[in-house]
């Protein structure tokens, strides 16, 4: 800092030296002095992109988010064809829970040449929508659950997803075998952005053949970010079986930090004869970009399980754990593999593997 001050005395009109002095003050956490230096630079040369970048960083480091966004926006105006300013402003928006704005900046950065591994993680829902090169995503899936030769589960599914600016819409068809009987169903799933922070998930499943599946399965869940990297959710799900309706109220708490994502959910489960609580916890680590990850999850409490063919919906004390791994081979093709263990008290242990 002393060296820069002497240089300024020798070259009082140099904005480059004053910029370096501002950086030195910022790195020493003298943010007020850094802001003064950088503002002086910009008064002398308002079209200096490095100064707007550094001023945005200083505001971000000193928790002045609105001022940081303003500085990064001016940087973007000066260099709209570079990915770096969009990434900086997108990271700021992500840390503030402004996921829709972050999504737009990360998409712009992608268009300006940013690599997929440079796009930060902004949450479980927005991840695939940010990095998708196409507005259409298709999936094929297979699941096998081992109980006994008679009661094993087999499931095939195919889906197509349309992503839009403020929403996504997924249509899925599936066919599943259980108790030596085949059932089919259709699922319509949508995510809607309510504003720049909040979003809503709506899901409806109908099964014309419902020997062991619910005839109707409906879910509504809202998400509200708060603080820095926190997100709360509240949801309601109803499953209509022939002889038993099941209602589930969900309360969730999510946390995003760096390449990590954690989620805790408590479910209050009620059917015609009983009531219980089920707790679940998952921890996800993103690997080399926001689309590849490994996830560990576990749960404990009372859960809706398939008791028998004549009584397909009941609540039983249950413990579970699983591992999930998602990996993209290139920008358009990848796979999702999960292995799960569910141990209902007094019932057959379920071991399942799913790939899609």
């Amino acid at each position: 800092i002393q060296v820069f001050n002497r240089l300024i005395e020798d070259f009082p009109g140099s904005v480059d030296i004053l910029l370096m002095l501002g950086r030195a003050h910022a790195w020493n956490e003298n943010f007020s002095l850094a802001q003064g230096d950088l503002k002086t630079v910009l008064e002398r040369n308002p079209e200096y992109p490095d100064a707007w970048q550094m001023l945005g960083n200083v505001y971000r480091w000193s928790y002045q988010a609105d001022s940081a966004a303003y500085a990064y926006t001016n940087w973007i105006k000066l260099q709209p064809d570079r990915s770096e300013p969009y990434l900086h402003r997108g990271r700021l928006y992500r840390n503030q829970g402004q996921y829709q704005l972050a999504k737009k900046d990360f998409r712009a950065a992608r268009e300006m040449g940013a690599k997929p591994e440079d796009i930060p993680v902004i949450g479980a829902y927005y991840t695939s929508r940010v990095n998708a090169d196409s507005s259409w995503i298709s999936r094929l899936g297979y699941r096998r659950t081992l109980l006994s030769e008679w009661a094993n589960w087999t499931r095939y599914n195919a889906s197509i997803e349309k992503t839009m600016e403020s929403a996504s819409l997924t249509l899925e068809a599936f066919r599943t075998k259980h108790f030596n009987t085949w059932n089919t169903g259709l699922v319509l799933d949508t995510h809607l952005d309510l504003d720049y922070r909040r979003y809503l998930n709506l899901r409806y499943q109908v099964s014309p053949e419902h020997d062991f599946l619910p005839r109707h399965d409906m879910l509504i869940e809202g998400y509200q970010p708060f603080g820095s990297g926190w997100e709360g959710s509240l949801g309601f799900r109803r499953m209509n079986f022939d002889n038993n309706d099941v209602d589930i109220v969900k309360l969730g708490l999510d946390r995003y930090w760096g390449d990590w994502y954690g989620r805790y959910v408590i479910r209050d489960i009620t059917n015609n004869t009983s009531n219980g609580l089920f707790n679940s916890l998952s921890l996800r680590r993103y690997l080399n970009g926001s689309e590849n990850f490994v996830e560990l999850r576990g749960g404990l409490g009372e859960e809706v399980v398939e008791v028998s063919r004549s009584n397909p919906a009941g609540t039983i004390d249950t413990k579970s754990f699983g591992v999930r791994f998602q990996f993209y081979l290139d920008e358009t093709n990848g796979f999702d593999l999960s292995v799960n263990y569910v141990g209902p008290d007094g019932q057959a242990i379920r071991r399942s593997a799913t790939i899609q």
Side-chain angles (χ1 to χ4, degrees), residues 244 246 271 274 303-307 311-316:
N244 198 354
V246 178
N271 62 19
S274 61
E303 189 179 21
V304 175
V305 297
E306 299 73 35
V307 179
N311 182 20
T315 54
I316 292 180

Side-chain angles (χ1 to χ4, degrees), residues 1-9 11-12 14-41 44 48 51 54 58 61:
I1 291 176
Q2 293 177 354
V3 172
F4 290 137
N5 283 324
R6 286 197 296 268
L7 287 172
I8 288 174
E9 293 177 359
F11 305 95
S14 174
V15 292
D16 296 324
I17 296 174
L18 193 56
L19 171 61
M20 289 188 287
L21 177 62
R23 285 174 174 164
H25 280 141
W27 293 332
N28 283 279
E29 298 186 358
N30 295 319
F31 297 128
S32 59
L33 293 177
Q35 291 174 26
D37 294 334
L38 296 168
K39 288 178 179 178
T40 301
V41 171
R44 297 177 182 176
Y48 197 164
M54 194 64 209
V58 170
W61 295 335

